[in-house]
């Protein structure tokens, strides 16, 4: 019983520490962190559910932060060795390296995706899972990020993004790409939804 209680306290203290890290990073760099706390477990699991496990190739996570969505991706059955985590914050990169030692962690700018991930072959990614605060950037930059991701993704593979907004972060262009959305994930604070983009041509 004592061991169980100790594990609960340790888990709780880690969660509080993560919340503090997120809040501090948001206060220092609100345009790059984009949220005051990590995604909740329901949102994280919903995002991870769209990862296409059966596809071979790496899964790219953009803006993993403290790793809550990372954990959900791994829980779906994706091994750490298949995940590439691209994170802007050096603080979060160090944290991810301690927690996920077998995962490729790249510190860099996702809005310069092709330069930052120059070693990734075009058309090889199985999925992209993004927690980037896209609405903090102009719509041209959001679209440019999505188009760079499509160059790295296999044909038809998903680009998975969450947001708190009523409208998609990038408007669909049926001749180039489609988007589907989930319902509101009300247990997340604030409520969010997931948008899944796929290249159509």
């Amino acid at each position: 019983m004592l061991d169980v209680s100790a594990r609960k306290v340790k888990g709780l203290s880690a969660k509080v520490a993560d919340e503090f890290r997120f809040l501090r990073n948001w206060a220092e760099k609100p345009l790059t962190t984009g949220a005051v706390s990590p995604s909740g477990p329901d949102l994280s699991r919903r995002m991870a559910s769209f990862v296409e496990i059966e596809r071979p190739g790496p899964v790219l996570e953009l803006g993993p932060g403290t790793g809550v969505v990372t954990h959900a991706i791994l829980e779906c059955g994706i091994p750490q060795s298949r995940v590439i985590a691209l994170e802007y914050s050096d603080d979060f990169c160090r944290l991810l390296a301690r927690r996920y030692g077998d995962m490729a962690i790249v510190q860099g700018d996702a809005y310069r995706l092709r330069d930052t991930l120059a070693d990734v072959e075009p058309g090889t990614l199985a999925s992209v899972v993004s927690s980037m605060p896209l609405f903090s950037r102009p719509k041209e930059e959001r679209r440019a990020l999505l188009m760079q991701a499509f160059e790295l993704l296999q044909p038809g593979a998903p680009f998975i993004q969450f947001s708190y907004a009523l409208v998609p972060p990038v408007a669909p262009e049926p001749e180039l790409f489609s988007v589907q959305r989930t319902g509101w994930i009300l247990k997340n604070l604030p409520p969010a939804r997931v948008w899944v983009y796929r290249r159509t041509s």
Side-chain angles (χ1 to χ4, degrees):
M1 181 70 70
L2 213 56
D3 287 344
V4 173
S5 297
R7 282 198 300 271
K8 284 183 178 178
V9 169
K10 186 176 180 182
L12 182 61
S13 63
K15 186 175 186 301
V16 170
D18 283 354
E19 296 277 354
F20 176 75
R21 280 191 190 94
F22 231 89
L23 183 60
R24 185 182 64 200
N25 272 271
W26 176 82
E28 292 173 355
K29 302 169 187 174
L31 293 182
T32 56
T33 303
V36 296
S37 65
S39 300
D42 291 276
L43 175 57
S44 300
R45 284 191 293 267
R46 193 74 177 102
M47 292 177 73
S49 73
F50 289 102
V51 173
E52 298 189 346
I53 299 171
E54 69 281 359
R55 281 186 185 266
V59 173
L60 173 62
E61 185 180 5
L62 301 178
T66 59
V68 291
V69 177
T70 312
H71 179 74
I73 293 169
L74 300 177
E75 286 285 296
C76 284
I78 301 288
Q80 288 188 34
S81 59
R82 278 188 63 191
V83 179
I84 303 169
L86 175 55
E87 172 57 52
Y88 188 81
S89 162
D90 56 350
D91 184 29
F92 287 154
C93 284
R94 287 192 297 270
L95 178 66
L96 292 165
R98 289 198 301 270
R99 290 182 174 171
Y100 306 108
D102 294 329
M103 191 167 69
I105 299 164
V106 179
Q107 183 178 4
D109 184 357
Y111 290 96
R112 300 180 63 229
L113 195 59
R114 294 304 310 278
D115 293 334
T116 305
L117 298 179
D119 293 339
V120 176
E121 289 291 324
T124 59
L125 295 181
S127 301
V128 174
V129 183
S130 172
S131 298
M132 298 286 292
L134 295 189
F135 279 104
S136 68
R137 295 293 188 109
K139 61 182 180 181
E140 295 82 8
E141 291 185 32
R142 291 179 242 155
R143 184 185 183 278
L145 168 59
L146 182 62
M147 298 310 292
Q148 290 180 79
F150 281 145
E151 290 182 43
L152 298 178
L153 281 163
Q154 298 169 29
F159 179 98
I160 304 153
Q161 173 73 46
F162 88 90
S163 82
Y164 308 119
L166 291 168
V167 297
V170 180
E173 299 178 31
E175 69 282 3
L176 293 177
F177 56 86
S178 64
V179 61
Q180 68 177 109
R181 69 183 183 195
T182 67
W184 290 104
I185 297 152
L186 298 175
K187 289 185 179 179
N188 196 74
L189 292 176
R193 65 194 341 169
V194 179
W195 306 86
V196 181
Y197 291 87
R198 296 179 193 274
R199 189 171 54 190
T200 55
S201 62

